[in-house]
Amino acid sequence: MSSLFPALADGPREGVALRFGPRTLTYGSLAGAAGALAARLAGAGRVAVWAVPELETAVAVTGALLAGAAAVPLNPKSGERELGHILTDSAPALVLAPPGAELPPVVGGLPRIDVDAFAAGPLPEERAADGDPALIVYTSGTTGPPKGAVLPRRALATTLDALADAWQWTGDDVLVHGLPLFHVHGLVLGVLGPLRRGGEVRHLGRFSPEGVARELNDGATMLFGVPTMYHRLAEALPGDPELAGALARARLLVSGSAALPVHDHERIAAATGRRVIERYGMTETLMNTSVRADGEARAGTVGVPLPGVELRLVEEDGTELTAWDGESVGEIQVRGPNLFTEYLNRPDATAAAFTADGFFRTGDMAVRESDGYVRIVGRKATDLIKSGGYKIGAGEIENALLEHPGVREAAVTGEPDADLGERIVAWIVPADPESPPGAEELADHVARRLAPHKRPRVVRHLDALPRNDMGKIMKRALADV
Ligand code: MCA
Ligand code: AMP
């Protein structure tokens, strides 16, 4: 039973905690607002959070954690299908939202508490146990709807303290980012991280190179982003000396959620003299490895295991790779206090995810260099796509496409994309070859049901999908069609 937010009780009350555009909260005001909310949430169990990139989301999650409730962040752009699944699966007692936020009918059925970011109440004592659930974050698998990863309070505290160690991250740091607040990267690292350290986070509302430059030139010390954001910074750098100066000034530029292309890493280094450091994590494991602030930021590597994380590479037959030769490829498996406890309501999936000795199978393939640096070289599942740093399951998009009357058969793959890492490609056999559904129509169809980032960017028509003798779609053959 230890506090997740010691700075709320002990930190300088006048210090800025949260800055979302022109709206700010000091530690004193955040303690008051989150404390007032926590009092209303006593005994709530599980609460949904309408996770718009605004001050209220940070207050809502802080208040829920102070109350010992588990927060279920919702992507406000999710479609009714996806929201319906998450709400049925997680059964929250109520939803927390900013005053005036319009909620879709599928969420509107829940009791609602409008979050008052400027309320004042006493700071409660954090009574929850370290193993109690803190967050339930939905993450896509290869097939079926997303699964809710149950993250205990212990995992949050451990991962953030390990990152503080690796990055020399303190309460003096001012973090800037424009990440969404319904995933681990933006919410756990990007909001709870600064709050645990007693430092400040400035959220851009929406990522832009201009916003990054402005904040880094105005006292921000750290930047977090997905590779797509660093790609956009690299693209903007040649014509933007202000941005180059801003990035050069930062104490730490950190990338994660997907592989940062070496080309973008090198372009940023050449223009700013600064190397972006990479860390590697997952919704289920939080952070596993990182390049350390005092280590060598070698392009294409994700650094070394964080304190407390046991990491091994394992061959197909279960043999552990012991050679750090930079060549032998194995699956990354991890064990430690940073891990989730289960997939909500999915004991089958939880059991399948762990080995008999308690290691989590990440599905990521890697090598280790002679000095222990981990280099990720691929992923086991072809049916998982990383686009813009979002993990997207091919199966959920295929199911959505098949519900369109113009689609007879569908297969979804990821193709390399300079901006997004991978772009979603839909291969469809139209019900009527004479009038196949348009690409935009199919994109809207998927965006409305699931979420805009899951929409196909490219649609290709085929007469038939390539299948093996068993009738299984041969996805690898699609690239050659
Ligand atoms: C476009 N839009 C649409 C449609 N088409 N909306 C509805 N229907 C459509 N058919 C909207 C989009 O929603 C978006 O709106 C806008 O048009 C532009 O879309 P797009 O160009 O696709 O993307 P983008 O907005 O430029 O996004 C790039 C991005 C984004 C900012 C890099 O992909 C992003 O925020 N990625 C971060 C993902 C992330 O945090 N992953 C962490 C998970 P609008 O702009 O208003 O949204 S991984 C994790 O947590 C682990 C632990 C880890 O290791 O970190
Ligand atoms: P998610 O489940 O959305 O949290 O995504 C986790 C996945 O993102 C991991 O399993 C990796 O495949 C990928 N990932 C995260 N960080 C990195 C990184 N720095 N380099 C390469 N892949 C990464």
Short mmCIF file of all heavy atoms in Angstrom, two decimals, residues 77 179-180 183-185 206 226 228-229 232 257 279 281-283 287 386 388-390 444 447 452 455 457, ligand 1:
data_model
loop_
_atom_site.label_atom_id
_atom_site.label_comp_id
_atom_site.label_asym_id
_atom_site.label_seq_id
_atom_site.Cartn_x
_atom_site.Cartn_y
_atom_site.Cartn_z
N LYS A 77 -12.80 8.66 -30.11
CA LYS A 77 -13.07 8.51 -31.55
C LYS A 77 -13.52 7.09 -31.91
O LYS A 77 -13.79 6.80 -33.07
CB LYS A 77 -11.82 8.85 -32.36
CG LYS A 77 -11.43 10.30 -32.28
CD LYS A 77 -10.99 10.80 -33.65
CE LYS A 77 -10.74 12.28 -33.63
NZ LYS A 77 -9.45 12.61 -33.01
N LEU A 179 0.42 12.96 -27.38
CA LEU A 179 -0.06 11.58 -27.53
C LEU A 179 -1.49 11.43 -27.03
O LEU A 179 -1.92 12.15 -26.12
CB LEU A 179 0.85 10.65 -26.70
CG LEU A 179 2.28 10.51 -27.23
CD1 LEU A 179 3.23 10.10 -26.11
CD2 LEU A 179 2.32 9.51 -28.38
N PRO A 180 -2.22 10.46 -27.59
CA PRO A 180 -3.57 10.21 -27.07
C PRO A 180 -3.50 9.68 -25.63
O PRO A 180 -2.51 9.07 -25.23
CB PRO A 180 -4.11 9.13 -28.02
CG PRO A 180 -2.93 8.51 -28.68
CD PRO A 180 -1.85 9.56 -28.71
N HIS A 183 -4.08 5.30 -24.25
CA HIS A 183 -3.09 4.22 -24.32
C HIS A 183 -2.00 4.47 -23.29
O HIS A 183 -1.84 5.58 -22.79
CB HIS A 183 -2.49 4.12 -25.72
CG HIS A 183 -3.30 3.28 -26.65
ND1 HIS A 183 -3.76 2.02 -26.32
CD2 HIS A 183 -3.76 3.51 -27.91
CE1 HIS A 183 -4.44 1.52 -27.32
NE2 HIS A 183 -4.47 2.40 -28.30
N VAL A 184 -1.21 3.42 -23.08
CA VAL A 184 -0.16 3.45 -22.07
C VAL A 184 0.84 4.59 -22.34
O VAL A 184 1.22 5.32 -21.41
CB VAL A 184 0.55 2.09 -22.04
CG1 VAL A 184 1.91 2.18 -21.37
CG2 VAL A 184 -0.33 1.07 -21.32
N HIS A 185 1.25 4.74 -23.58
CA HIS A 185 2.31 5.72 -23.87
C HIS A 185 1.92 7.11 -23.37
O HIS A 185 2.63 7.73 -22.56
CB HIS A 185 2.58 5.73 -25.38
CG HIS A 185 3.86 6.41 -25.77
ND1 HIS A 185 4.40 6.30 -27.02
CD2 HIS A 185 4.69 7.24 -25.09
CE1 HIS A 185 5.53 7.01 -27.08
NE2 HIS A 185 5.71 7.59 -25.92
N ARG A 206 -3.00 18.34 -29.74
CA ARG A 206 -2.79 17.66 -31.01
C ARG A 206 -1.33 17.85 -31.38
O ARG A 206 -0.82 18.97 -31.31
CB ARG A 206 -3.70 18.34 -32.03
CG ARG A 206 -3.67 17.73 -33.36
CD ARG A 206 -4.45 18.53 -34.37
NE ARG A 206 -4.36 17.76 -35.58
CZ ARG A 206 -5.32 16.98 -36.03
NH1 ARG A 206 -6.47 16.93 -35.41
NH2 ARG A 206 -5.15 16.26 -37.11
N VAL A 226 5.68 8.93 -30.79
CA VAL A 226 5.77 7.70 -31.58
C VAL A 226 6.62 8.02 -32.82
O VAL A 226 6.79 9.19 -33.17
CB VAL A 226 4.37 7.17 -31.97
CG1 VAL A 226 3.57 6.78 -30.74
CG2 VAL A 226 3.59 8.20 -32.80
N THR A 228 6.06 8.00 -35.93
CA THR A 228 5.41 8.86 -36.93
C THR A 228 5.64 10.33 -36.59
O THR A 228 5.84 11.17 -37.47
CB THR A 228 3.89 8.53 -36.99
OG1 THR A 228 3.74 7.17 -37.35
CG2 THR A 228 3.17 9.41 -38.00
N MET A 229 5.59 10.65 -35.31
CA MET A 229 5.82 12.06 -34.90
C MET A 229 7.27 12.46 -35.17
O MET A 229 7.54 13.55 -35.68
CB MET A 229 5.47 12.23 -33.43
CG MET A 229 3.98 11.98 -33.16
SD MET A 229 3.61 11.95 -31.40
CE MET A 229 1.82 11.66 -31.46
N ARG A 232 7.71 13.10 -38.78
CA ARG A 232 7.19 14.42 -39.18
C ARG A 232 8.13 15.54 -38.73
O ARG A 232 8.28 16.54 -39.42
CB ARG A 232 5.77 14.60 -38.65
CG ARG A 232 4.81 13.62 -39.35
CD ARG A 232 3.39 13.70 -38.88
NE ARG A 232 2.61 12.63 -39.51
CZ ARG A 232 1.31 12.44 -39.34
NH1 ARG A 232 0.62 13.26 -38.55
NH2 ARG A 232 0.68 11.45 -39.94
N SER A 257 6.69 2.86 -28.96
CA SER A 257 5.43 2.30 -29.48
C SER A 257 5.61 1.58 -30.80
O SER A 257 4.73 0.85 -31.23
CB SER A 257 4.31 3.34 -29.65
OG SER A 257 4.05 3.99 -28.45
N ARG A 279 12.78 3.41 -26.33
CA ARG A 279 12.44 2.44 -25.29
C ARG A 279 11.38 1.51 -25.86
O ARG A 279 10.68 1.84 -26.82
CB ARG A 279 11.99 3.15 -24.01
CG ARG A 279 10.51 3.40 -23.85
CD ARG A 279 9.94 4.34 -24.88
NE ARG A 279 8.53 4.61 -24.83
CZ ARG A 279 7.54 3.79 -25.17
NH1 ARG A 279 7.76 2.58 -25.56
NH2 ARG A 279 6.29 4.17 -25.10
N GLY A 281 8.18 -1.16 -25.11
CA GLY A 281 7.19 -1.63 -24.15
C GLY A 281 5.98 -2.20 -24.84
O GLY A 281 5.94 -2.33 -26.06
N MET A 282 5.02 -2.57 -24.02
CA MET A 282 3.75 -3.10 -24.51
C MET A 282 2.68 -2.73 -23.52
O MET A 282 2.97 -2.53 -22.34
CB MET A 282 3.79 -4.64 -24.54
CG MET A 282 4.36 -5.24 -25.78
SD MET A 282 4.22 -7.03 -25.70
CE MET A 282 2.69 -7.30 -26.60
N THR A 283 1.45 -2.70 -23.97
CA THR A 283 0.35 -2.44 -23.06
C THR A 283 0.41 -3.44 -21.89
O THR A 283 0.26 -3.06 -20.72
CB THR A 283 -0.99 -2.58 -23.81
OG1 THR A 283 -0.98 -1.66 -24.89
CG2 THR A 283 -2.16 -2.31 -22.89
N MET A 287 6.93 -0.84 -19.58
CA MET A 287 8.22 -0.71 -20.27
C MET A 287 9.20 -1.83 -19.91
O MET A 287 9.35 -2.18 -18.74
CB MET A 287 8.85 0.65 -19.96
CG MET A 287 8.03 1.80 -20.50
SD MET A 287 7.71 1.69 -22.28
CE MET A 287 5.94 1.44 -22.30
N LYS A 386 1.21 -2.32 -36.94
CA LYS A 386 1.50 -1.11 -36.13
C LYS A 386 1.46 0.08 -37.07
O LYS A 386 2.31 0.23 -37.95
CB LYS A 386 2.89 -1.24 -35.51
CG LYS A 386 2.86 -1.78 -34.09
CD LYS A 386 2.77 -0.67 -33.07
CE LYS A 386 2.22 -1.18 -31.75
NZ LYS A 386 2.35 -0.23 -30.65
N GLY A 388 1.13 4.24 -37.15
CA GLY A 388 1.13 5.47 -36.34
C GLY A 388 1.39 5.17 -34.87
O GLY A 388 1.09 5.99 -34.01
N GLY A 389 1.94 3.98 -34.57
CA GLY A 389 2.17 3.61 -33.17
C GLY A 389 0.99 2.89 -32.54
O GLY A 389 1.06 2.44 -31.41
N TYR A 390 -0.11 2.79 -33.26
CA TYR A 390 -1.28 2.03 -32.77
C TYR A 390 -1.15 0.58 -33.19
O TYR A 390 -0.83 0.30 -34.34
CB TYR A 390 -2.57 2.56 -33.39
CG TYR A 390 -3.04 3.89 -32.88
CD1 TYR A 390 -3.03 5.01 -33.71
CD2 TYR A 390 -3.55 4.04 -31.59
CE1 TYR A 390 -3.50 6.25 -33.26
CE2 TYR A 390 -4.01 5.26 -31.15
CZ TYR A 390 -3.99 6.36 -31.98
OH TYR A 390 -4.45 7.57 -31.53
N ASP A 444 -14.65 4.71 -44.27
CA ASP A 444 -15.64 5.29 -43.36
C ASP A 444 -16.39 4.21 -42.60
O ASP A 444 -16.68 4.35 -41.41
CB ASP A 444 -16.64 6.16 -44.14
CG ASP A 444 -16.01 7.45 -44.60
OD1 ASP A 444 -14.90 7.77 -44.11
OD2 ASP A 444 -16.60 8.13 -45.47
N ALA A 447 -14.05 3.06 -39.91
CA ALA A 447 -13.84 4.13 -38.92
C ALA A 447 -15.08 4.29 -38.02
O ALA A 447 -14.95 4.51 -36.82
CB ALA A 447 -13.52 5.45 -39.63
N PRO A 452 -11.04 5.58 -36.22
CA PRO A 452 -10.45 6.12 -37.45
C PRO A 452 -9.06 5.56 -37.74
O PRO A 452 -8.71 5.36 -38.91
CB PRO A 452 -10.39 7.63 -37.21
CG PRO A 452 -11.48 7.89 -36.21
CD PRO A 452 -11.56 6.65 -35.36
N ARG A 455 -8.91 2.42 -39.98
CA ARG A 455 -9.47 2.38 -41.33
C ARG A 455 -8.39 2.02 -42.35
O ARG A 455 -7.23 2.41 -42.20
CB ARG A 455 -10.11 3.72 -41.69
CG ARG A 455 -9.12 4.83 -41.89
CD ARG A 455 -9.79 6.19 -41.97
NE ARG A 455 -8.87 7.21 -42.42
CZ ARG A 455 -8.03 7.86 -41.63
NH1 ARG A 455 -7.99 7.60 -40.34
NH2 ARG A 455 -7.23 8.76 -42.13
N ARG A 457 -6.12 2.31 -45.51
CA ARG A 457 -5.64 3.46 -46.29
C ARG A 457 -5.65 3.13 -47.78
O ARG A 457 -5.61 4.01 -48.61
CB ARG A 457 -4.21 3.82 -45.88
CG ARG A 457 -4.02 4.03 -44.39
CD ARG A 457 -4.58 5.37 -43.97
NE ARG A 457 -4.51 5.50 -42.53
CZ ARG A 457 -4.25 6.65 -41.91
NH1 ARG A 457 -4.04 7.74 -42.60
NH2 ARG A 457 -4.24 6.70 -40.61
C1 MCA B 1 -9.39 10.56 -41.28
N1 MCA B 1 -9.95 10.87 -40.11
C2 MCA B 1 -11.13 10.22 -40.05
C3 MCA B 1 -11.26 9.46 -41.23
N2 MCA B 1 -10.19 9.72 -41.97
N3 MCA B 1 -12.07 10.19 -39.13
C4 MCA B 1 -13.17 9.42 -39.35
N4 MCA B 1 -13.35 8.67 -40.45
C5 MCA B 1 -12.44 8.67 -41.43
N5 MCA B 1 -12.66 7.94 -42.52
C6 MCA B 1 -9.36 11.78 -39.11
C7 MCA B 1 -8.49 11.11 -38.08
O1 MCA B 1 -9.25 10.63 -37.00
C8 MCA B 1 -7.62 12.24 -37.62
O2 MCA B 1 -8.33 13.07 -36.76
C9 MCA B 1 -7.40 13.02 -38.87
O3 MCA B 1 -8.45 12.65 -39.75
C10 MCA B 1 -6.05 12.74 -39.53
O4 MCA B 1 -5.84 11.35 -39.55
P1 MCA B 1 -4.44 10.63 -39.90
O5 MCA B 1 -3.68 11.36 -40.90
O6 MCA B 1 -4.79 9.24 -40.15
O7 MCA B 1 -3.61 10.49 -38.66
P2 MCA B 1 -2.99 11.58 -37.80
O8 MCA B 1 -4.03 12.26 -37.04
O9 MCA B 1 -2.09 12.37 -38.63
O10 MCA B 1 -2.21 10.63 -36.80
C11 MCA B 1 -0.87 10.44 -36.71
C12 MCA B 1 -0.51 10.34 -35.23
C13 MCA B 1 -1.42 9.29 -34.59
C14 MCA B 1 -0.69 11.70 -34.58
C15 MCA B 1 0.93 9.91 -35.14
O11 MCA B 1 -1.33 8.07 -35.31
C16 MCA B 1 -1.16 9.06 -33.14
O12 MCA B 1 -1.54 9.86 -32.29
N6 MCA B 1 -0.49 7.96 -32.78
C17 MCA B 1 -0.15 7.61 -31.41
C18 MCA B 1 -0.55 6.22 -31.10
C19 MCA B 1 -0.17 5.83 -29.69
O13 MCA B 1 -0.19 6.61 -28.76
N7 MCA B 1 0.19 4.58 -29.49
C20 MCA B 1 0.62 4.07 -28.25
C21 MCA B 1 0.14 2.67 -28.12
P3 MCA B 1 -7.67 13.65 -35.43
O14 MCA B 1 -6.39 14.24 -35.84
O15 MCA B 1 -8.66 14.64 -34.94
O16 MCA B 1 -7.49 12.48 -34.56
S1 MCA B 1 1.50 1.60 -27.80
C22 MCA B 1 1.76 1.69 -26.18
O17 MCA B 1 1.12 2.40 -25.46
C23 MCA B 1 2.97 0.87 -25.76
C24 MCA B 1 2.92 0.57 -24.30
C25 MCA B 1 4.26 1.63 -26.08
O18 MCA B 1 5.32 0.99 -26.24
O19 MCA B 1 4.20 2.85 -26.13
#
